[in-house]
Amino acid sequence: MTRKLFLEKIKINKKTIKLFISKKIFTPNLTTNLLVDACNKIINKNKKVLELGCGSGIISSYLYKKKIITKIYCSDISEQAIMCSVKNAKYLKAKHEIKISNLFDNWKDESFDYIINDVSAISESLNKMTNWYKYTTNQSGIDGTKFTIEILKTFKNHLKKKGSLIFPIIGLSNKNKILNFIKKNKIKNKLIASQEWPLPKEFYKYKKKLLDLNKKKIIQIEEKLGFLTTKTDIYQCF
């Protein structure tokens, strides 16, 4: 297994920053940019922020470079991701606490002002349709809600007073199941951002299966003028 890391210029939230990345870590995408934009709007300076499912640690690195946070806290279940995140923290000369953790397992005695969740959140049915998971894994369940709902069950145990959770709900999962869970458990929430986007061309040979998954409400997509689109929403929960 190659462990090579590459220093690259990455464009995020209309800014370009240099960070180490790896082919074996999920590449920053639209969701990453939406999360960063939401964090810019919401997070006050000098707050304690945890990034779950950090990958290369790009969100925390961005917040540190923008001087929004003074210490990086993040975790991932992937050793490669942790190695890359640590490399980036050291490159930025940032104080950091970065650890392997399945969700909150290794943060039991910690509390935060903000928790950013970027853990896998799309249907496992799409794993073979895309190269997104060529090197990384996606075990978020047939409807993509497994980890999001697990986090929603316990996130308040890891928040300081007046803290909040920032996370995406992606149309390639059962969005209504997550929203119904939030409503049923009376979790205060706020929609921060929403953006529609076209599915990559690699998905089109699976169009019939995608439309069937949509019909079964496992995912939410639309067909417009021959294009397949979905939506990513960013929510804040208290």
Side-chain angles (χ1 to χ4, degrees):
M1 179 181 72
T2 180
R3 289 183 174 272
K4 288 185 177 179
L5 300 176
F6 304 90
L7 188 61
E8 297 279 356
K9 289 183 178 179
I10 301 173
K11 192 171 184 179
I12 182 166
N13 198 35
K14 299 180 181 179
K15 300 288 184 181
T16 300
I17 61 175
K18 277 188 176 182
L19 287 176
F20 286 92
I21 60 170
S22 166
K23 291 180 179 179
K24 295 199 171 186
I25 299 172
F26 203 82
T27 305
N29 56 15
L30 169 71
T31 300
T32 312
N33 278 281
L34 288 174
L35 280 168
V36 167
D37 188 52
C39 290
N40 268 330
K41 293 176 182 176
I42 295 167
I43 298 177
N44 298 318
K45 287 188 176 182
N46 301 322
K47 296 296 183 180
K48 189 176 179 182
V49 180
L50 171 64
E51 181 184 359
L52 290 177
C54 61
S56 62
I58 188 168
I59 298 176
S60 294
S61 295
Y62 177 90
L63 294 175
Y64 180 83
K65 197 167 178 64
K66 290 280 289 182
K67 298 182 179 180
I68 294 173
I69 60 174
T70 57
K71 183 176 179 179
I72 290 174
Y73 294 88
C74 55
S75 62
D76 200 292
I77 202 167
S78 160
E79 288 185 14
Q80 183 80 356
I82 295 305
M83 183 178 68
C84 191
S85 294
V86 169
K87 182 82 170 177
N88 281 322
K90 290 181 177 179
Y91 176 69
L92 295 171
K93 297 180 181 179
K95 293 180 180 179
H96 59 276
E97 191 171 339
I98 299 171
K99 58 179 79 175
I100 290 178
S101 181
N102 178 23
L103 305 183
F104 294 112
D105 283 358
N106 290 325
W107 297 105
K108 291 179 180 177
D109 299 322
E110 298 270 10
S111 59
F112 302 87
D113 296 295
Y114 297 94
I115 297 168
I116 304 164
N117 169 34
D118 199 13
V119 176
S120 297
I122 70 169
S123 168
E124 284 184 32
S125 301
L126 277 60
N127 287 4
K128 294 181 180 180
M129 299 183 194
T130 175
N131 61 5
W132 292 348
Y133 296 99
K134 185 177 180 180
Y135 296 110
T136 58
T137 59
N138 172 33
Q139 298 176 338
S140 53
I142 189 69
D143 61 4
T145 67
K146 178 182 176 182
F147 298 123
T148 301
I149 287 178
E150 281 187 32
I151 288 169
L152 286 168
K153 286 178 180 177
T154 59
F155 78 97
K156 290 185 180 180
N157 297 333
H158 304 277
L159 284 180
K160 294 183 178 183
K161 188 177 181 180
K162 296 184 179 180
S164 63
L165 168 72
I166 302 167
F167 70 103
I169 300 181
I170 302 169
L172 298 178
S173 68
N174 189 336
K175 174 181 177 179
N176 289 331
K177 182 176 178 180
I178 296 170
L179 292 177
N180 287 337
F181 180 89
I182 289 171
K183 183 178 180 180
K184 182 180 178 181
N185 288 275
K186 298 179 180 179
I187 300 172
K188 292 182 181 179
N189 66 91
K190 183 179 180 181
L191 177 62
I192 302 299
S194 183
Q195 187 167 329
E196 188 176 23
W197 49 279
L199 296 188
K201 290 183 179 179
E202 63 201 71
F203 281 98
Y204 279 64
K205 61 182 177 181
Y206 302 102
K207 181 177 176 180
K208 185 177 179 181
K209 185 174 181 179
L210 288 166
L211 291 174
D212 183 56
L213 290 169
N214 182 68
K215 187 176 180 181
K216 293 176 179 177
K217 299 182 179 180
I218 291 174
I219 63 173
Q220 284 82 49
I221 61 171
E222 288 189 60
E223 187 174 12
K224 296 181 178 179
L225 301 174
F227 293 96
L228 296 175
T229 68
T230 192
K231 187 184 289 185
T232 296
D233 297 326
I234 305 297
Y235 275 83
Q236 182 180 19
C237 283
F238 311 88

